[in-house]
Amino acid sequence: MSPLDLAGYLIAALMTAVALWRMPAALWGDEEDKRRRALWGCYAGFAVALWTKTKFVRITLNDSEVTDLAVLIKHYTATIAILAILSYIVAIYGHFPDEGAVPRHVRFARTVQRVAAKASAATLVLLTVLFFTVVDRSVPSDRFVSDHAGQWGATLYMSVFYLYLGASSAVCAYQWALATGNARVRHLRLGLGMMTFAMFIGVAYTLSRTLFLWVSVVDRPGKSFALRFDEVTEASQIVLFAFFALGASLPACHKGWRRVRLWRAQARLHPLWYELMTAFPDQPFEPPRSLVRELTRFDTPADLRIDRWAADIADAVEKLRHYVPDELLDAAKRAAGGEAGAGAGAADSAAAGSEAVGPLADAYWIKAALAARTGGAPAGRAAAIEPQHATDQDGEVAWLVRVAAAYQTIPHDRAREVLASARTGAQESTA
């Protein structure tokens, strides 16, 4: 097996993996995901087309009762895939009004929509007629372009397909280049840039092959040159699909990585949240469950669940304020400062104070306050607490993750000592 054949198998497997990965969201997702069905149809169509180009599949189909059947199937599926991606480009501009100031690229996309379906149908019909009438299929081919170089029937057939493919690639390159310039998120800009580059390769691929075929009709090339040209342009198409598949996957990969980070935050928050919700069982919407059960629940998105946990913890802390004196805040800070200073050298004491004392002090306060309530302390007025450390929801969750990690390191006896110190201070201040 040649390196080119191996690359063909790998790129077909990659496109198939992308199609299977995106299929659930496209078929069973929400309204925004359903709009991506057209894009998924492009992945699926190109996956089938790429498999027909692999050595085993193309030889098997080309040697069947319908000679060169792999070529026809490849062009059918590629045409449908191109129509799907053109439909997706139009769909993402659907929120613009039909009247009024509509951007030029949106008007262009809508023009493409009106033409694309008819052009695709005409292309499929014309390809079928030409394939069974003017293409010389007396001998099964392996490399269709190089094997039929110089034959006017195959040249006409391929020119029809390349005209459709090249025009569609140019449209995609134009639209995605505009979208790349307007993208504000880095991963989206990078993904669109890779897809734009892939479409420019597609335009160059179709132009070079069309030119080669028509020149070959006038001056038939040698077999070795034709085969070499076919292999070089085929390699460029493999690069095209690699950039297209990776570029299209980057935004989804970013979302997947965000989901992983949310699961990690959930796993780190769970011990603190579970203990507080056990103390206040009326606080959560549902009784707290084990970490495994919480991580395998799919009825609520992970980001909403994390936000809910953060709110639950904040509400529980607010309730705990009624069971402790004001002096617990200073006692927790002293305990945290002593531990952070003991664990750091003299040169690192300032950094330790800024990085570790805050979360550790909050953790001491929560654990001591929970010990006070569990020990039967009567409810009273709300005690003083540290002001909110975060300015947004993501910052609050990040802070709580650090607090939860520190909370796990505090022994119950040490928390009770801090509570006793605070109570002693409160008694002395009132004496």
Side-chain angles (χ1 to χ4, degrees):
M1 182 183 297
S2 68
L4 185 61
D5 289 328
L6 178 59
Y9 282 107
L10 292 177
I11 200 65
L14 175 62
M15 189 63 71
T16 303
V18 173
L20 293 176
W21 174 32
R22 303 297 295 272
M23 182 173 65
L27 299 184
W28 302 296
D30 56 22
E31 289 302 319
E32 183 178 357
D33 288 324
K34 290 178 181 178
R35 280 175 30 185
R36 298 188 177 97
R37 286 183 179 177
L39 187 57
W40 171 78
C42 173
Y43 300 144
F46 278 133
V48 175
L50 287 170
W51 279 113
T52 63
K53 291 163 66 71
T54 59
K55 185 173 183 178
F56 174 79
V57 176
R58 74 171 182 265
I59 291 178
T60 302
L61 291 176
N62 287 344
D63 292 342
S64 65
E65 294 183 0
V66 180
T67 306
D68 289 345
L69 179 59
V71 177
L72 189 61
I73 294 177
K74 176 182 65 177
H75 292 159
Y76 276 178
T77 53
T79 301
I80 295 172
I82 293 168
L83 176 62
I85 201 169
L86 291 175
S87 300
Y88 173 75
I89 288 176
V90 175
I92 63 177
Y93 299 129
H95 61 281
F96 285 94
D98 291 329
E99 299 179 356
V102 179
R104 182 176 59 183
H105 64 281
V106 178
R107 297 196 303 270
F108 178 71
R110 290 175 177 172
T111 302
V112 170
Q113 182 186 34
R114 290 191 292 268
V115 175
K118 296 178 181 178
S120 300
T123 299
L124 290 174
V125 172
L126 191 54
L127 287 176
T128 305
V129 172
L130 293 175
F131 182 82
F132 288 104
T133 56
V134 300
V135 176
D136 181 6
R137 296 184 297 112
S138 57
V139 178
S141 62
D142 181 30
R143 296 286 181 182
F144 187 84
V145 169
S146 60
D147 291 346
H148 292 79
Q151 299 177 10
W152 73 269
T155 298
L156 181 60
Y157 170 84
M158 293 301 300
S159 297
V160 171
F161 177 71
Y162 286 151
L163 176 63
Y164 179 81
L165 178 62
S168 302
S169 299
V171 169
C172 292
Y174 169 73
Q175 297 289 27
W176 286 337
L178 291 176
T180 302
N182 295 329
R184 298 181 180 179
V185 183
R186 184 174 62 180
H187 70 271
L188 182 59
R189 185 167 59 250
L190 180 59
L192 286 169
M194 294 174 71
M195 294 168 71
T196 303
F197 178 67
M199 292 302 103
F200 278 118
I201 295 177
V203 173
Y205 170 86
T206 56
L207 288 176
S208 62
R209 283 205 159 196
T210 302
L211 181 62
F212 168 78
L213 286 169
W214 282 107
V215 170
S216 298
V217 173
V218 178
D219 183 11
R220 189 160 189 160
K223 290 184 178 181
S224 60
F225 176 81
L227 180 60
R228 183 60 178 167
F229 177 85
D230 187 280
E231 291 176 343
V232 170
T233 53
E234 190 69 20
S236 71
Q237 192 180 56
I238 290 176
V239 174
L240 179 161
F241 280 110
F243 273 93
F244 177 76
L246 294 176
S249 301
L250 273 181
C253 287
H254 182 268
K255 291 182 179 179
W257 176 239
R258 172 174 169 77
R259 189 173 292 113
V260 170
R261 289 190 286 113
L262 288 171
W263 282 339
R264 288 173 55 191
Q266 191 176 347
R268 294 173 179 176
L269 279 180
H270 183 267
L272 175 60
W273 175 79
Y274 186 88
E275 196 163 334
L276 290 174
M277 295 306 100
T278 302
F280 298 100
D282 295 334
Q283 175 66 43
F285 291 114
E286 297 180 3
R289 301 176 183 178
S290 67
L291 176 60
V292 174
R293 180 66 183 89
E294 291 290 346
L295 290 178
T296 54
R297 290 179 56 182
F298 300 103
D299 55 341
T300 305
D303 55 345
L304 295 181
R305 194 157 53 244
I306 285 289
D307 290 346
R308 190 196 71 195
W309 284 16
D312 287 341
I313 293 172
D315 290 342
V317 168
E318 189 66 27
K319 292 178 180 179
L320 287 174
R321 293 177 61 189
H322 295 275
Y323 297 93
V324 296
D326 290 337
E327 287 74 12
L328 180 58
L329 180 60
D330 290 333
K333 288 181 178 180
R334 287 195 301 272
E339 287 192 18
D348 298 329
S349 59
S354 60
E355 294 294 328
V357 172
L360 187 56
D362 280 5
Y364 262 115
W365 191 98
I366 294 173
K367 200 149 198 170
L370 194 57
R373 183 183 183 278
T374 304
R381 68 177 184 85
I385 59 172
E386 193 72 11
Q388 177 62 254
H389 300 277
T391 58
D392 56 24
Q393 195 71 17
D394 289 341
E396 181 183 4
V397 171
W399 179 265
L400 288 176
V401 167
R402 297 175 64 192
V403 172
Y407 186 89
Q408 293 296 101
T409 67
I410 301 174
H412 290 284
D413 291 342
R414 179 59 178 148
R416 285 191 287 267
E417 290 177 4
V418 173
L419 176 62
S421 173
R423 285 173 171 170
T424 300
Q427 291 172 357
E428 292 176 351
S429 65
T430 57

